[in-house]
Amino acid sequence: MASDVPSAPLMDRALIEESAKKSALVWVRGQQGSPRALWHVWHEGAVCLVGGPGEQPLDGLGLADGGRATVTCRSKDKGGRLIVWPALVAELAPEGEAWQAAVAELKGKRLNAPDAEELPSRWARACRVLRLEPSGTALQRPGAMPAESHAAPPLPTAASTRVDAPSGLPVRRRRRG
């Protein structure tokens, strides 16, 4: 007797596609390094992204052609982790048919580009366009999330939000009641 309920991989695939389409960012972990938030587009069954000089940094992630990555998509309404899935990484050859189709989609989503008309030629010269295609069943999804926290401490930085008040500002005095 056939079931009317889609199998888990079909449900995973639908959730992957919808969450990737609706979110501006995905978190990608390659063969090395920590996961990194990257802007992307969903195009022809995969997450497509561009990185390199003048774009988002991909160095240190270990995203190599033919390699594997893990992609985390967030919930659009709550902002929390919704689904984590394994992906096969393909680096698209500049000026190829698949590259041109992906770049056309990416160009439309690229915000604040200083050289909007020259993006494709700059990307062909100096950047990498990657395609991350879902491969296998989801590692985490609603109903199958780990119990432990995945919170990570902030990376070390010299930035600070707490500084002494400038000497020219008036001092507020406490009122005595």
Side-chain angles (χ1 to χ4, degrees):
M1 180 173 168
S3 172
D4 290 336
V5 179
S7 66
L10 288 176
M11 293 292 279
D12 289 352
R13 193 76 166 184
L15 187 55
I16 288 167
E17 182 173 346
E18 282 304 306
S19 61
K21 281 181 179 179
K22 291 183 178 182
S23 183
L25 295 173
V26 292
W27 281 259
V28 177
R29 177 192 301 261
Q31 298 297 322
Q32 59 196 42
S34 298
R36 191 172 302 156
L38 301 172
W39 71 271
H40 71 285
V41 296
W42 180 264
H43 178 66
E44 295 182 359
V47 162
C48 293
L49 49 95
V50 62
E55 300 300 331
Q56 57 195 348
L58 298 178
D59 54 325
L61 285 174
L63 295 173
D65 189 34
R68 296 195 161 275
T70 303
V71 180
T72 302
C73 294
R74 68 184 182 98
S75 165
K76 184 68 172 170
D77 58 345
K78 305 268 189 213
R81 183 174 14 140
L82 182 61
I83 189 162
V84 179
W85 46 278
L88 289 175
V89 179
E91 185 166 348
L92 303 179
E95 304 298 338
E97 188 176 319
W99 184 90
Q100 289 179 350
V103 164
E105 293 293 319
L106 287 161
K107 182 181 176 193
K109 297 291 183 180
R110 173 63 164 91
L111 301 177
N112 303 323
D115 57 347
E117 293 304 315
E118 301 299 318
L119 277 179
S121 61
R122 181 168 58 87
W123 288 350
R125 254 189 344 271
C127 294
R128 299 171 62 204
V129 176
L130 302 178
R131 178 180 163 82
L132 281 60
E133 187 171 348
S135 168
T137 59
L139 305 171
Q140 298 173 20
R141 65 181 170 283
M145 291 288 186
E148 72 275 359
S149 170
H150 280 83
L155 297 173
T157 178
S160 174
T161 57
R162 188 85 170 150
V163 296
D164 293 333
S167 60
L169 290 179
V171 177
R172 293 184 67 167
R173 299 175 195 261
R174 292 180 71 181
R175 291 186 180 174
R176 294 186 182 185

mmCIF file of all heavy atoms in Angstrom, residues 41-44 46-51 58 63-66 88-106 120 123-133:
data_model
loop_
_atom_site.group_PDB
_atom_site.id
_atom_site.type_symbol
_atom_site.label_atom_id
_atom_site.label_comp_id
_atom_site.label_asym_id
_atom_site.label_seq_id
_atom_site.Cartn_x
_atom_site.Cartn_y
_atom_site.Cartn_z
ATOM 1 N N VAL A 41 22.177 32.967 -3.834
ATOM 2 C CA VAL A 41 20.898 32.823 -4.523
ATOM 3 C C VAL A 41 20.629 31.333 -4.669
ATOM 4 O O VAL A 41 21.562 30.520 -4.715
ATOM 5 C CB VAL A 41 20.854 33.497 -5.923
ATOM 6 C CG1 VAL A 41 21.018 34.985 -5.818
ATOM 7 C CG2 VAL A 41 21.872 32.908 -6.854
ATOM 8 N N TRP A 42 19.382 30.971 -4.714
ATOM 9 C CA TRP A 42 18.985 29.602 -5.023
ATOM 10 C C TRP A 42 18.736 29.573 -6.519
ATOM 11 O O TRP A 42 17.908 30.325 -7.035
ATOM 12 C CB TRP A 42 17.730 29.212 -4.245
ATOM 13 C CG TRP A 42 17.295 27.809 -4.545
ATOM 14 C CD1 TRP A 42 16.348 27.420 -5.443
ATOM 15 C CD2 TRP A 42 17.798 26.615 -3.957
ATOM 16 N NE1 TRP A 42 16.236 26.059 -5.440
ATOM 17 C CE2 TRP A 42 17.119 25.537 -4.544
ATOM 18 C CE3 TRP A 42 18.769 26.349 -2.990
ATOM 19 C CZ2 TRP A 42 17.361 24.209 -4.183
ATOM 20 C CZ3 TRP A 42 19.003 25.035 -2.640
ATOM 21 C CH2 TRP A 42 18.316 23.985 -3.235
ATOM 22 N N HIS A 43 19.464 28.715 -7.226
ATOM 23 C CA HIS A 43 19.345 28.680 -8.682
ATOM 24 C C HIS A 43 19.471 27.243 -9.177
ATOM 25 O O HIS A 43 20.455 26.571 -8.885
ATOM 26 C CB HIS A 43 20.428 29.560 -9.315
ATOM 27 C CG HIS A 43 20.427 29.551 -10.800
ATOM 28 N ND1 HIS A 43 19.384 30.079 -11.541
ATOM 29 C CD2 HIS A 43 21.323 29.084 -11.690
ATOM 30 C CE1 HIS A 43 19.661 29.933 -12.824
ATOM 31 N NE2 HIS A 43 20.830 29.324 -12.933
ATOM 32 N N GLU A 44 18.458 26.793 -9.869
ATOM 33 C CA GLU A 44 18.444 25.461 -10.490
ATOM 34 C C GLU A 44 18.864 24.357 -9.529
ATOM 35 O O GLU A 44 19.737 23.550 -9.814
ATOM 36 C CB GLU A 44 19.299 25.454 -11.752
ATOM 37 C CG GLU A 44 18.735 26.347 -12.842
ATOM 38 C CD GLU A 44 19.547 26.316 -14.130
ATOM 39 O OE1 GLU A 44 20.574 25.617 -14.199
ATOM 40 O OE2 GLU A 44 19.123 27.010 -15.073
ATOM 41 N N ALA A 46 20.292 24.484 -6.419
ATOM 42 C CA ALA A 46 21.486 24.614 -5.588
ATOM 43 C C ALA A 46 21.660 26.042 -5.104
ATOM 44 O O ALA A 46 21.128 26.983 -5.689
ATOM 45 C CB ALA A 46 22.717 24.183 -6.378
ATOM 46 N N VAL A 47 22.442 26.183 -4.041
ATOM 47 C CA VAL A 47 22.855 27.496 -3.558
ATOM 48 C C VAL A 47 24.036 27.923 -4.417
ATOM 49 O O VAL A 47 24.995 27.174 -4.582
ATOM 50 C CB VAL A 47 23.270 27.420 -2.070
ATOM 51 C CG1 VAL A 47 24.102 28.602 -1.663
ATOM 52 C CG2 VAL A 47 22.044 27.298 -1.185
ATOM 53 N N CYS A 48 23.961 29.120 -4.982
ATOM 54 C CA CYS A 48 25.073 29.665 -5.767
ATOM 55 C C CYS A 48 25.590 30.892 -5.029
ATOM 56 O O CYS A 48 24.803 31.700 -4.529
ATOM 57 C CB CYS A 48 24.615 30.059 -7.168
ATOM 58 S SG CYS A 48 24.136 28.652 -8.179
ATOM 59 N N LEU A 49 26.915 31.019 -4.957
ATOM 60 C CA LEU A 49 27.515 32.164 -4.283
ATOM 61 C C LEU A 49 28.792 32.568 -4.985
ATOM 62 O O LEU A 49 29.359 31.807 -5.771
ATOM 63 C CB LEU A 49 27.764 31.857 -2.804
ATOM 64 C CG LEU A 49 28.463 30.562 -2.443
ATOM 65 C CD1 LEU A 49 29.936 30.788 -2.267
ATOM 66 C CD2 LEU A 49 27.867 30.043 -1.153
ATOM 67 N N VAL A 50 29.198 33.807 -4.735
ATOM 68 C CA VAL A 50 30.407 34.351 -5.344
ATOM 69 C C VAL A 50 31.298 34.900 -4.232
ATOM 70 O O VAL A 50 30.814 35.440 -3.247
ATOM 71 C CB VAL A 50 30.074 35.449 -6.385
ATOM 72 C CG1 VAL A 50 29.376 36.628 -5.747
ATOM 73 C CG2 VAL A 50 31.305 35.899 -7.129
ATOM 74 N N GLY A 51 32.597 34.713 -4.395
ATOM 75 C CA GLY A 51 33.532 35.221 -3.400
ATOM 76 C C GLY A 51 34.878 35.516 -4.016
ATOM 77 O O GLY A 51 35.240 34.956 -5.053
ATOM 78 N N LEU A 58 35.966 33.791 0.781
ATOM 79 C CA LEU A 58 35.759 32.348 0.835
ATOM 80 C C LEU A 58 37.010 31.630 1.319
ATOM 81 O O LEU A 58 36.970 30.433 1.583
ATOM 82 C CB LEU A 58 35.373 31.809 -0.558
ATOM 83 C CG LEU A 58 34.073 32.347 -1.156
ATOM 84 C CD1 LEU A 58 33.849 31.761 -2.540
ATOM 85 C CD2 LEU A 58 32.895 32.058 -0.256
ATOM 86 N N LEU A 63 36.591 25.332 0.531
ATOM 87 C CA LEU A 63 35.567 24.996 -0.468
ATOM 88 C C LEU A 63 36.264 24.722 -1.796
ATOM 89 O O LEU A 63 36.626 25.649 -2.513
ATOM 90 C CB LEU A 63 34.563 26.138 -0.614
ATOM 91 C CG LEU A 63 33.715 26.442 0.611
ATOM 92 C CD1 LEU A 63 32.885 27.696 0.397
ATOM 93 C CD2 LEU A 63 32.827 25.262 0.959
ATOM 94 N N ALA A 64 36.455 23.458 -2.104
ATOM 95 C CA ALA A 64 37.155 23.068 -3.325
ATOM 96 C C ALA A 64 36.207 22.364 -4.272
ATOM 97 O O ALA A 64 35.260 21.688 -3.842
ATOM 98 C CB ALA A 64 38.319 22.146 -2.977
ATOM 99 N N ASP A 65 36.461 22.525 -5.557
ATOM 100 C CA ASP A 65 35.655 21.862 -6.579
ATOM 101 C C ASP A 65 35.663 20.351 -6.331
ATOM 102 O O ASP A 65 36.718 19.747 -6.163
ATOM 103 C CB ASP A 65 36.219 22.174 -7.969
ATOM 104 C CG ASP A 65 35.302 21.699 -9.077
ATOM 105 O OD1 ASP A 65 34.064 21.725 -8.899
ATOM 106 O OD2 ASP A 65 35.822 21.285 -10.128
ATOM 107 N N GLY A 66 34.490 19.752 -6.254
ATOM 108 C CA GLY A 66 34.365 18.325 -5.994
ATOM 109 C C GLY A 66 34.369 17.976 -4.521
ATOM 110 O O GLY A 66 34.188 16.822 -4.152
ATOM 111 N N LEU A 88 27.480 19.095 -2.144
ATOM 112 C CA LEU A 88 28.622 18.887 -3.026
ATOM 113 C C LEU A 88 28.990 20.247 -3.609
ATOM 114 O O LEU A 88 28.113 20.987 -4.063
ATOM 115 C CB LEU A 88 28.284 17.924 -4.156
ATOM 116 C CG LEU A 88 28.098 16.468 -3.760
ATOM 117 C CD1 LEU A 88 27.642 15.649 -4.965
ATOM 118 C CD2 LEU A 88 29.388 15.905 -3.197
ATOM 119 N N VAL A 89 30.275 20.573 -3.603
ATOM 120 C CA VAL A 89 30.754 21.870 -4.086
ATOM 121 C C VAL A 89 31.222 21.727 -5.530
ATOM 122 O O VAL A 89 31.964 20.808 -5.858
ATOM 123 C CB VAL A 89 31.929 22.381 -3.224
ATOM 124 C CG1 VAL A 89 32.439 23.716 -3.741
ATOM 125 C CG2 VAL A 89 31.515 22.478 -1.770
ATOM 126 N N ALA A 90 30.759 22.630 -6.374
ATOM 127 C CA ALA A 90 31.235 22.686 -7.759
ATOM 128 C C ALA A 90 31.636 24.127 -8.052
ATOM 129 O O ALA A 90 30.862 25.054 -7.796
ATOM 130 C CB ALA A 90 30.148 22.240 -8.726
ATOM 131 N N GLU A 91 32.850 24.300 -8.548
ATOM 132 C CA GLU A 91 33.292 25.628 -8.957
ATOM 133 C C GLU A 91 32.966 25.772 -10.437
ATOM 134 O O GLU A 91 33.422 24.974 -11.259
ATOM 135 C CB GLU A 91 34.784 25.823 -8.716
ATOM 136 C CG GLU A 91 35.222 27.236 -9.018
ATOM 137 C CD GLU A 91 36.599 27.569 -8.470
ATOM 138 O OE1 GLU A 91 37.141 26.798 -7.665
ATOM 139 O OE2 GLU A 91 37.124 28.629 -8.852
ATOM 140 N N LEU A 92 32.163 26.764 -10.760
ATOM 141 C CA LEU A 92 31.734 26.956 -12.135
ATOM 142 C C LEU A 92 32.828 27.635 -12.947
ATOM 143 O O LEU A 92 33.438 28.609 -12.497
ATOM 144 C CB LEU A 92 30.441 27.768 -12.179
ATOM 145 C CG LEU A 92 29.278 27.167 -11.377
ATOM 146 C CD1 LEU A 92 28.051 28.065 -11.456
ATOM 147 C CD2 LEU A 92 28.940 25.765 -11.866
ATOM 148 N N ALA A 93 33.079 27.104 -14.139
ATOM 149 C CA ALA A 93 34.116 27.652 -15.014
ATOM 150 C C ALA A 93 33.672 29.006 -15.555
ATOM 151 O O ALA A 93 32.559 29.131 -16.082
ATOM 152 C CB ALA A 93 34.394 26.695 -16.163
ATOM 153 N N PRO A 94 34.524 30.042 -15.422
ATOM 154 C CA PRO A 94 34.160 31.370 -15.918
ATOM 155 C C PRO A 94 33.740 31.335 -17.381
ATOM 156 O O PRO A 94 34.358 30.662 -18.199
ATOM 157 C CB PRO A 94 35.440 32.188 -15.729
ATOM 158 C CG PRO A 94 36.172 31.492 -14.633
ATOM 159 C CD PRO A 94 35.845 30.024 -14.802
ATOM 160 N N GLU A 95 32.675 32.062 -17.632
ATOM 161 C CA GLU A 95 32.118 32.246 -18.975
ATOM 162 C C GLU A 95 31.400 31.017 -19.527
ATOM 163 O O GLU A 95 30.879 31.051 -20.627
ATOM 164 C CB GLU A 95 33.184 32.720 -19.975
ATOM 165 C CG GLU A 95 33.894 33.993 -19.572
ATOM 166 C CD GLU A 95 32.993 35.213 -19.440
ATOM 167 O OE1 GLU A 95 31.890 35.250 -20.028
ATOM 168 O OE2 GLU A 95 33.393 36.145 -18.740
ATOM 169 N N GLY A 96 31.361 29.909 -18.782
ATOM 170 C CA GLY A 96 30.612 28.732 -19.225
ATOM 171 C C GLY A 96 29.111 28.997 -19.128
ATOM 172 O O GLY A 96 28.672 29.975 -18.519
ATOM 173 N N GLU A 97 28.326 28.110 -19.695
ATOM 174 C CA GLU A 97 26.875 28.292 -19.713
ATOM 175 C C GLU A 97 26.299 28.306 -18.291
ATOM 176 O O GLU A 97 25.499 29.179 -17.944
ATOM 177 C CB GLU A 97 26.234 27.167 -20.533
ATOM 178 C CG GLU A 97 24.758 27.363 -20.767
ATOM 179 C CD GLU A 97 24.190 26.282 -21.669
ATOM 180 O OE1 GLU A 97 24.853 25.911 -22.665
ATOM 181 O OE2 GLU A 97 23.078 25.819 -21.370
ATOM 182 N N ALA A 98 26.708 27.351 -17.444
ATOM 183 C CA ALA A 98 26.213 27.302 -16.067
ATOM 184 C C ALA A 98 26.684 28.536 -15.290
ATOM 185 O O ALA A 98 25.939 29.092 -14.478
ATOM 186 C CB ALA A 98 26.694 26.028 -15.381
ATOM 187 N N TRP A 99 27.928 28.974 -15.527
ATOM 188 C CA TRP A 99 28.479 30.151 -14.862
ATOM 189 C C TRP A 99 27.659 31.388 -15.235
ATOM 190 O O TRP A 99 27.295 32.177 -14.374
ATOM 191 C CB TRP A 99 29.950 30.331 -15.273
ATOM 192 C CG TRP A 99 30.659 31.453 -14.584
ATOM 193 C CD1 TRP A 99 31.348 31.394 -13.421
ATOM 194 C CD2 TRP A 99 30.755 32.815 -15.036
ATOM 195 N NE1 TRP A 99 31.874 32.630 -13.104
ATOM 196 C CE2 TRP A 99 31.526 33.523 -14.081
ATOM 197 C CE3 TRP A 99 30.275 33.503 -16.142
ATOM 198 C CZ2 TRP A 99 31.814 34.868 -14.205
ATOM 199 C CZ3 TRP A 99 30.556 34.851 -16.258
ATOM 200 C CH2 TRP A 99 31.322 35.521 -15.304
ATOM 201 N N GLN A 100 27.370 31.568 -16.518
ATOM 202 C CA GLN A 100 26.613 32.737 -16.969
ATOM 203 C C GLN A 100 25.214 32.773 -16.368
ATOM 204 O O GLN A 100 24.737 33.836 -15.958
ATOM 205 C CB GLN A 100 26.556 32.776 -18.497
ATOM 206 C CG GLN A 100 27.889 33.114 -19.116
ATOM 207 C CD GLN A 100 27.845 33.130 -20.634
ATOM 208 O OE1 GLN A 100 26.867 32.722 -21.260
ATOM 209 N NE2 GLN A 100 28.926 33.595 -21.235
ATOM 210 N N ALA A 101 24.563 31.613 -16.283
ATOM 211 C CA ALA A 101 23.216 31.564 -15.697
ATOM 212 C C ALA A 101 23.265 31.909 -14.211
ATOM 213 O O ALA A 101 22.436 32.687 -13.718
ATOM 214 C CB ALA A 101 22.609 30.180 -15.915
ATOM 215 N N ALA A 102 24.245 31.358 -13.499
ATOM 216 C CA ALA A 102 24.368 31.655 -12.065
ATOM 217 C C ALA A 102 24.723 33.123 -11.840
ATOM 218 O O ALA A 102 24.168 33.776 -10.946
ATOM 219 C CB ALA A 102 25.427 30.741 -11.434
ATOM 220 N N VAL A 103 25.635 33.654 -12.631
ATOM 221 C CA VAL A 103 26.056 35.046 -12.485
ATOM 222 C C VAL A 103 24.901 36.008 -12.767
ATOM 223 O O VAL A 103 24.767 37.033 -12.107
ATOM 224 C CB VAL A 103 27.287 35.341 -13.375
ATOM 225 C CG1 VAL A 103 27.511 36.832 -13.554
ATOM 226 C CG2 VAL A 103 28.521 34.690 -12.770
ATOM 227 N N ALA A 104 24.053 35.680 -13.714
ATOM 228 C CA ALA A 104 22.890 36.531 -13.999
ATOM 229 C C ALA A 104 21.998 36.635 -12.761
ATOM 230 O O ALA A 104 21.501 37.723 -12.432
ATOM 231 C CB ALA A 104 22.113 35.983 -15.185
ATOM 232 N N GLU A 105 21.814 35.522 -12.057
ATOM 233 C CA GLU A 105 21.006 35.532 -10.831
ATOM 234 C C GLU A 105 21.733 36.270 -9.707
ATOM 235 O O GLU A 105 21.134 37.075 -8.995
ATOM 236 C CB GLU A 105 20.693 34.101 -10.393
ATOM 237 C CG GLU A 105 19.780 33.350 -11.330
ATOM 238 C CD GLU A 105 18.377 33.922 -11.376
ATOM 239 O OE1 GLU A 105 17.842 34.301 -10.311
ATOM 240 O OE2 GLU A 105 17.816 33.988 -12.478
ATOM 241 N N LEU A 106 23.021 35.985 -9.543
ATOM 242 C CA LEU A 106 23.806 36.617 -8.480
ATOM 243 C C LEU A 106 23.893 38.129 -8.671
ATOM 244 O O LEU A 106 23.791 38.886 -7.707
ATOM 245 C CB LEU A 106 25.210 36.017 -8.422
ATOM 246 C CG LEU A 106 25.314 34.610 -7.848
ATOM 247 C CD1 LEU A 106 26.619 33.956 -8.254
ATOM 248 C CD2 LEU A 106 25.160 34.647 -6.337
ATOM 249 N N PRO A 120 30.094 40.973 -13.958
ATOM 250 C CA PRO A 120 30.429 39.688 -14.574
ATOM 251 C C PRO A 120 31.884 39.585 -15.038
ATOM 252 O O PRO A 120 32.533 38.558 -14.816
ATOM 253 C CB PRO A 120 29.459 39.581 -15.756
ATOM 254 C CG PRO A 120 28.294 40.424 -15.350
ATOM 255 C CD PRO A 120 28.901 41.559 -14.568
ATOM 256 N N TRP A 123 34.077 39.321 -11.903
ATOM 257 C CA TRP A 123 33.935 38.007 -11.298
ATOM 258 C C TRP A 123 34.662 36.945 -12.125
ATOM 259 O O TRP A 123 35.266 36.038 -11.568
ATOM 260 C CB TRP A 123 32.472 37.643 -11.134
ATOM 261 C CG TRP A 123 31.775 38.414 -10.043
ATOM 262 C CD1 TRP A 123 32.344 39.219 -9.101
ATOM 263 C CD2 TRP A 123 30.380 38.454 -9.790
ATOM 264 N NE1 TRP A 123 31.384 39.750 -8.275
ATOM 265 C CE2 TRP A 123 30.169 39.293 -8.677
ATOM 266 C CE3 TRP A 123 29.269 37.871 -10.392
ATOM 267 C CZ2 TRP A 123 28.913 39.545 -8.152
ATOM 268 C CZ3 TRP A 123 28.022 38.119 -9.871
ATOM 269 C CH2 TRP A 123 27.834 38.954 -8.758
ATOM 270 N N ALA A 124 34.607 37.049 -13.432
ATOM 271 C CA ALA A 124 35.308 36.078 -14.296
ATOM 272 C C ALA A 124 36.817 36.171 -14.103
ATOM 273 O O ALA A 124 37.519 35.165 -14.117
ATOM 274 C CB ALA A 124 34.946 36.310 -15.755
ATOM 275 N N ARG A 125 37.311 37.382 -13.923
ATOM 276 C CA ARG A 125 38.753 37.617 -13.774
ATOM 277 C C ARG A 125 39.285 37.217 -12.405
ATOM 278 O O ARG A 125 40.333 36.602 -12.296
ATOM 279 C CB ARG A 125 39.054 39.110 -13.963
ATOM 280 C CG ARG A 125 39.688 39.518 -15.217
ATOM 281 C CD ARG A 125 40.141 40.989 -15.241
ATOM 282 N NE ARG A 125 39.612 41.894 -14.234
ATOM 283 C CZ ARG A 125 38.492 42.609 -14.360
ATOM 284 N NH1 ARG A 125 37.766 42.524 -15.463
ATOM 285 N NH2 ARG A 125 38.103 43.432 -13.404
ATOM 286 N N ALA A 126 38.577 37.633 -11.349
ATOM 287 C CA ALA A 126 39.184 37.585 -10.024
ATOM 288 C C ALA A 126 38.430 36.793 -8.957
ATOM 289 O O ALA A 126 38.957 36.615 -7.869
ATOM 290 C CB ALA A 126 39.372 39.018 -9.527
ATOM 291 N N CYS A 127 37.227 36.346 -9.233
ATOM 292 C CA CYS A 127 36.408 35.715 -8.194
ATOM 293 C C CYS A 127 36.073 34.264 -8.525
ATOM 294 O O CYS A 127 36.328 33.803 -9.628
ATOM 295 C CB CYS A 127 35.119 36.508 -7.991
ATOM 296 S SG CYS A 127 35.389 38.151 -7.327
ATOM 297 N N ARG A 128 35.506 33.600 -7.547
ATOM 298 C CA ARG A 128 35.046 32.227 -7.716
ATOM 299 C C ARG A 128 33.530 32.211 -7.599
ATOM 300 O O ARG A 128 32.963 32.809 -6.685
ATOM 301 C CB ARG A 128 35.634 31.327 -6.638
ATOM 302 C CG ARG A 128 37.138 31.267 -6.651
ATOM 303 C CD ARG A 128 37.680 30.529 -5.437
ATOM 304 N NE ARG A 128 37.223 29.157 -5.417
ATOM 305 C CZ ARG A 128 37.133 28.424 -4.301
ATOM 306 N NH1 ARG A 128 37.457 28.923 -3.136
ATOM 307 N NH2 ARG A 128 36.710 27.174 -4.374
ATOM 308 N N VAL A 129 32.870 31.510 -8.504
ATOM 309 C CA VAL A 129 31.427 31.296 -8.421
ATOM 310 C C VAL A 129 31.245 29.823 -8.098
ATOM 311 O O VAL A 129 31.699 28.952 -8.846
ATOM 312 C CB VAL A 129 30.704 31.686 -9.728
ATOM 313 C CG1 VAL A 129 29.228 31.356 -9.636
ATOM 314 C CG2 VAL A 129 30.910 33.167 -10.025
ATOM 315 N N LEU A 130 30.604 29.560 -6.947
ATOM 316 C CA LEU A 130 30.429 28.193 -6.475
ATOM 317 C C LEU A 130 28.967 27.801 -6.476
ATOM 318 O O LEU A 130 28.086 28.638 -6.267
ATOM 319 C CB LEU A 130 30.990 28.041 -5.063
ATOM 320 C CG LEU A 130 32.463 28.374 -4.865
ATOM 321 C CD1 LEU A 130 32.837 28.219 -3.404
ATOM 322 C CD2 LEU A 130 33.332 27.501 -5.739
ATOM 323 N N ARG A 131 28.755 26.523 -6.673
ATOM 324 C CA ARG A 131 27.425 25.920 -6.638
ATOM 325 C C ARG A 131 27.462 24.850 -5.555
ATOM 326 O O ARG A 131 28.303 23.955 -5.592
ATOM 327 C CB ARG A 131 27.124 25.317 -8.005
ATOM 328 C CG ARG A 131 25.821 24.614 -8.119
ATOM 329 C CD ARG A 131 25.668 24.064 -9.554
ATOM 330 N NE ARG A 131 24.635 23.067 -9.598
ATOM 331 C CZ ARG A 131 23.339 23.318 -9.686
ATOM 332 N NH1 ARG A 131 22.944 24.569 -9.779
ATOM 333 N NH2 ARG A 131 22.459 22.350 -9.713
ATOM 334 N N LEU A 132 26.575 24.950 -4.561
ATOM 335 C CA LEU A 132 26.492 23.983 -3.478
ATOM 336 C C LEU A 132 25.172 23.229 -3.623
ATOM 337 O O LEU A 132 24.108 23.757 -3.329
ATOM 338 C CB LEU A 132 26.561 24.677 -2.118
ATOM 339 C CG LEU A 132 27.924 25.110 -1.619
ATOM 340 C CD1 LEU A 132 28.597 26.101 -2.535
ATOM 341 C CD2 LEU A 132 27.854 25.656 -0.227
ATOM 342 N N GLU A 133 25.278 22.013 -4.110
ATOM 343 C CA GLU A 133 24.089 21.214 -4.403
ATOM 344 C C GLU A 133 23.810 20.238 -3.275
ATOM 345 O O GLU A 133 24.711 19.530 -2.829
ATOM 346 C CB GLU A 133 24.290 20.448 -5.709
ATOM 347 C CG GLU A 133 23.055 19.727 -6.159
ATOM 348 C CD GLU A 133 23.200 19.143 -7.552
ATOM 349 O OE1 GLU A 133 24.164 19.474 -8.252
ATOM 350 O OE2 GLU A 133 22.328 18.339 -7.917
#
